[in-house]
Amino acid sequence: MASIDKKVTAEFLPFFRVYNDGSVERLLGSPTVPPTPEDPQTGVSSKDITISQKPAISARLYIPKLTQPNEKFPILVYFHGGAFCVESAFSSDHQRYLNSLVSQAQVLAVSVEYRLAPEHSLPNAYEDSWAAFQWVAAHSIYNGGVGEDAKEKWLSDHGDFKRVFTGGDSAGANIAHNITMRAGAEKVNKIGGINILGAFLTHPLFFGSKPIGSESCEGHEKSLACSLWDYMYPGAPGGADNPLMNPVGPGAASLAGLGCSRLLVTVAEKDGLRDRGVFYYNAVKESGWGGEMELIEVEGEDHAFQIIHFGTENAKNLIKRLASFLLIYT
């Protein structure tokens, strides 16, 4: 029998190609690396854990070097970027970035490995991320949601559930926003044993059907961002204005419901998503939300530079600012 030629059925450069046999070729993303018992540069230890078998949700945990046996650290639930379709919590880029952030901020980080589109259409990534957040919250001694045998010891022994943060870069920042909104709607801070102190959104991936700021008016609804969203989330209610992607669009919940008390938004001057990040920041500010907030813009830099160009002065400075945000309650 003659073999069937492998043909491209969908292509979204620079992210991925889909072939007629259903396979996906990813064109971006750093290689995955194993966790390290103790990183020689930072002293941070990491390990991989399974949160759920069905669906497949896992995470890489990071903990700073202990100075005493019963030491407690704030908890950061972190979501990696990659346009919902590339990158990983196990990538080398995020490993070195989080080693640095965890060391400087002295936090226990849970970096969530959610399922990627297009094999797993959205909103799976959001549901996986919420399940991971609930798994973390269930470790609270007040919560009783995880049996002693099933508890992850780094979290139960060294996590301070009264000092919880969410955070992420790019698509991960979008997820962090949505998880924090859902936590506010479900009153997680009031009914559980946890307290979400803050959220940081680094170069958040937000979009909408109508252009804002410097976004081009011509062909906006056929842009890569809109086309990719439609492909990854077929039939999304509201299309590009679905509240998951456009937090200020029609039908989106009031940003006053953001379920934390502090918010840090960072943008980069040359990033095509810069105006969306600033617009989001101003929308939260005008919503009546009662928390403290800060906007940081880094001149001369582009999207996710603190990860892609790790080690540069601007990258070091931004990581230091993120660490300071997390350190304020330590």
Side-chain angles (χ1 to χ4, degrees):
M1 180 182 292
S3 61
I4 300 174
D5 291 338
K6 194 171 182 178
K7 297 180 180 178
V8 175
T9 57
E11 184 175 64
F12 291 89
L13 301 178
F15 299 110
F16 62 83
R17 294 188 184 99
V18 180
Y19 293 91
N20 58 346
D21 64 356
S23 61
V24 177
E25 177 189 10
R26 286 185 165 79
L27 308 173
L28 281 180
S30 57
T32 58
V33 294
T36 53
E38 187 172 317
D39 177 61
Q41 278 76 45
T42 63
V44 171
S45 296
S46 56
K47 67 178 176 179
D48 296 341
I49 55 93
T50 298
I51 293 173
S52 167
Q53 299 273 1
K54 293 183 180 181
I57 309 169
S58 53
R60 179 159 291 177
L61 272 58
Y62 296 81
I63 192 169
K65 193 175 182 110
L66 296 175
T67 58
Q68 48 188 310
N70 299 319
E71 193 167 4
K72 296 282 188 180
F73 300 102
I75 299 168
L76 168 64
V77 185
Y78 185 83
F79 307 97
H80 71 82
F84 305 103
C85 60
V86 297
E87 277 294 353
S88 166
F90 309 134
S91 73
S92 58
D93 283 356
H94 282 86
Q95 175 87 355
R96 64 184 182 180
Y97 167 66
L98 284 172
N99 276 337
S100 178
L101 181 60
V102 166
S103 173
Q104 294 184 56
Q106 291 292 288
V107 295
L108 193 164
V110 181
S111 180
V112 178
E113 179 75 345
Y114 52 84
R115 289 173 294 167
L116 297 179
E119 297 96 326
H120 305 281
S121 298
L122 295 170
N124 278 306
Y126 295 102
E127 294 304 320
D128 291 354
S129 298
W130 179 247
F133 179 82
Q134 288 183 303
W135 176 84
V136 171
H139 282 74
S140 166
I141 59 172
Y142 304 103
N143 196 297
V146 175
E148 287 300 322
D149 293 342
K151 279 190 175 181
E152 164 49 51
K153 285 189 67 64
W154 281 9
L155 273 174
S156 58
D157 292 353
H158 300 293
D160 184 346
F161 293 89
K162 293 300 183 183
R163 296 183 293 166
V164 175
F165 294 86
T166 60
D169 63 279
S170 189
N174 172 303
I175 292 173
H177 158 76
N178 281 287
I179 294 303
T180 312
M181 285 293 292
R182 189 165 175 178
E186 299 194 13
K187 298 181 170 38
V188 168
N189 282 359
K190 294 181 179 179
I191 63 175
I194 72 167
N195 183 29
I196 307 174
L197 292 176
F200 71 80
L201 311 185
T202 305
H203 313 148
L205 172 55
F206 295 130
F207 207 67
S209 64
K210 305 299 180 187
I212 65 166
S214 61
E215 294 173 356
S216 174
C217 294
E218 186 175 348
H220 180 83
E221 292 191 10
K222 295 183 179 179
S223 65
L224 174 62
C226 280
S227 300
L228 185 60
W229 175 257
D230 289 342
Y231 187 81
M232 294 190 301
Y233 193 171
D241 286 325
N242 184 282
L244 293 171
M245 178 52 73
N246 186 0
V248 297
S254 170
L255 294 172
L258 198 64
C260 60
S261 56
R262 298 181 64 240
L263 175 67
L264 173 63
V265 179
T266 77
V267 298
E269 179 190 15
K270 295 182 178 180
D271 185 2
L273 297 172
R274 180 256 178 206
D275 290 351
R276 290 281 171 179
V278 174
F279 194 78
Y280 168 82
Y281 171 85
N282 288 329
V284 176
K285 194 173 185 179
E286 295 164 6
S287 72
W289 179 68
E292 300 175 22
M293 56 191 308
E294 182 182 3
L295 175 69
I296 295 174
E297 179 169 6
V298 181
E299 296 180 354
E301 293 290 356
D302 211 327
H303 191 71
F305 71 89
Q306 80 285 1
I307 296 173
I308 298 170
H309 302 300
F310 182 84
T312 64
E313 281 306 305
N314 279 346
K316 290 177 182 177
N317 289 338
L318 180 56
I319 295 170
K320 186 175 180 180
R321 294 290 295 274
L322 295 174
S324 296
F325 174 78
L326 298 169
L327 273 167
I328 194 166
Y329 287 111
T330 59

